[in-house]
Amino acid sequence: MTLKRQVTLDEVAERAGVSRSAASRVINNAPHVSRAKREAVQRAVSDLGYVPNATARALATQQVGAVVLAISSDNPQIFADPFFAEIAVGVGSVLEETELELILQLATSERGQTRLEQMLRTRQADGVMLMSMHGDDPLAQIAEKSDVPVVFGGMPVNFAPQYYVDADNRGGARLATEHLVATGRRRIATITGRMDEGAGTARYKGYQEALAVAGLDARRVAYGDFSEEGGGRGMAQLLAEYPDLDAVFVGSDQMAIGAMRVLKDSGRTIPGDVSVVGFNDVVLARHTEPPLSTVSQPIQSLGREMARMLLALIAGESPTPLILPTRLVQRSSS
């Protein structure tokens, strides 16, 4: 007697034309799957005679009591960055009301990515929150292949995830630039964040849109990386290329701090010679000299909403993506 070979989940996914994780979610009756994918997987299961492994299915629905906050970075100091520190506080404030532990994971290096992939493949976590995706980041593919719920903090550049929490980066950048125009500035530069990140590109677009409406030139651009050092380098470049600039919108407060240092070293006064506006409204923005005008986004709320969305997915719900509002905070630097 010849035993019939058992059909695998990968074969079901291939027949249905979906990812392995989508096929798994259908088979485990998770609600956060589109109708078209669900029907395709069900047809594949019927056509192939797939029978779920009872042990594997039990493991797939068993909670292990931990979730991951993974940052696409290989710098251990990133969690000391005021932005990510506040994100972690927001996430932790929600999780402390549950039995779930929070695992912080750096995942840019090959070692970090392998560690995260193994953690998800072996279900050492009930869900993952991904932040700071760069371009075609392999973390997104790792998450898509996994069977655990995934929430993105911020929109990636190259695709739109199903579940995400973000801030209105584009609108906030418009507010900042419109404010500089309203104060009489006409030679307005910008130092962007990373252009392979959603926040960096969205804030740059907001700057461009505001200057286009005002009929002003948007060519004074330096490309930064969201770090204080990057802001300093960007400001030095702008001063060399456009020494007559009278304002700068900087894509993050950390970069703005570096930019202000370079402006002072060059003998420029703030805001007399050059007005400066940042983005994020981290605590340090209130203590610069002069205090930094900035776009405030609810950073801790961003972390809290990411955690709440992930908890909803773990519970089998289908939450709605969120875009949180931003607002201008005017201080003495502009």
Side-chain angles (χ1 to χ4, degrees):
M1 178 179 178
T2 302
L3 293 176
K4 184 178 179 181
R5 185 181 66 82
Q6 185 173 359
V7 177
T8 68
L9 179 60
D10 288 325
E11 290 173 316
V12 171
E14 183 177 1
R15 170 66 72 90
V18 302
S19 68
R20 186 180 190 278
S21 61
S24 175
R25 288 196 291 269
V26 172
I27 290 166
N28 287 298
N29 296 317
H32 44 286
V33 182
S34 69
R35 180 177 178 180
K37 286 185 178 181
R38 185 177 297 280
E39 291 176 351
V41 171
Q42 289 170 343
R43 283 196 301 271
V45 167
S46 176
D47 292 346
L48 296 173
Y50 175 76
V51 178
N53 181 285
T55 302
R57 187 164 185 174
L59 288 173
T61 57
Q62 180 181 359
Q63 292 190 14
V64 298
V67 296
V68 178
L69 173 59
I71 310 294
S72 185
S73 172
D74 55 6
N75 179 9
Q77 299 298 317
I78 196 165
F79 288 111
D81 180 295
F83 176 82
F84 289 106
E86 289 195 49
I87 288 288
V89 169
V91 170
S93 68
V94 171
L95 295 184
E96 70 181 7
E97 301 174 4
T98 73
E99 298 299 320
L100 293 169
E101 294 183 4
L102 176 62
I103 301 171
L104 301 178
Q105 177 77 55
L106 297 177
T108 293
S109 68
E110 183 176 348
R111 181 181 179 185
Q113 291 168 5
T114 300
R115 186 186 303 120
L116 179 63
E117 186 172 18
Q118 182 178 9
M119 182 180 295
L120 298 182
R121 187 176 64 250
T122 58
R123 292 196 64 88
Q124 298 175 44
D126 296 310
V128 61
M129 294 162 281
L130 296 179
M131 295 199 71
S132 197
M133 299 292 100
H134 305 304
D136 295 321
D137 202 307
L139 287 189
Q141 298 177 16
I142 290 172
E144 176 63 20
K145 291 178 182 177
S146 76
D147 296 330
V148 303
V150 178
V151 171
F152 285 78
M155 286 287 287
V157 172
N158 294 332
F159 75 101
Q162 186 171 5
Y163 302 107
Y164 63 87
V165 181
D166 203 357
D168 184 10
N169 292 292
R170 195 165 176 169
R174 281 199 305 268
L175 286 175
T177 310
E178 288 167 354
H179 162 68
L180 291 170
V181 172
T183 60
R185 306 294 168 148
R186 293 296 178 266
R187 298 177 298 279
I188 303 171
T190 188
I191 303 173
T192 74
R194 292 185 56 134
M195 296 302 287
D196 61 351
E197 288 188 27
T201 58
R203 293 172 193 178
Y204 181 41
K205 288 177 182 176
Y207 159 83
Q208 291 177 307
E209 289 170 354
L211 289 189
V213 170
L216 298 176
D217 192 349
R219 63 188 167 89
R220 299 174 179 86
V221 181
Y223 297 97
D225 59 4
F226 288 126
S227 72
E228 184 175 337
E229 294 75 15
R233 288 192 299 270
M235 194 71 253
Q237 174 191 329
L238 288 171
L239 290 177
E241 296 179 0
Y242 309 104
D244 64 340
L245 65 84
D246 60 8
V248 58
F249 163 59
V250 190
S252 77
D253 293 344
Q254 287 294 103
M255 288 197 299
I257 290 170
M260 291 171 73
R261 183 186 67 250
V262 170
L263 283 171
K264 291 177 183 177
D265 290 346
S266 73
R268 267 80 165 183
T269 59
I270 306 170
D273 295 323
V274 181
S275 287
V276 181
V277 179
F279 202 111
N280 284 336
D281 196 22
V282 298
V283 173
L284 286 175
R286 305 165 204 168
H287 303 293
T288 56
E289 182 53 47
L292 178 64
S293 294
T294 186
V295 176
S296 176
Q297 63 168 321
I299 305 175
Q300 288 192 25
S301 292
L302 183 62
R304 285 193 293 270
E305 295 302 333
M306 286 169 55
R308 287 170 181 154
M309 185 173 291
L310 188 62
L311 291 178
L313 288 173
I314 292 171
E317 301 171 13
S318 186
T320 302
L322 290 176
I323 300 290
L324 302 179
T326 52
R327 63 185 178 87
L328 178 70
V329 178
Q330 185 177 353
R331 299 190 179 104
S332 303
S333 69
S334 64

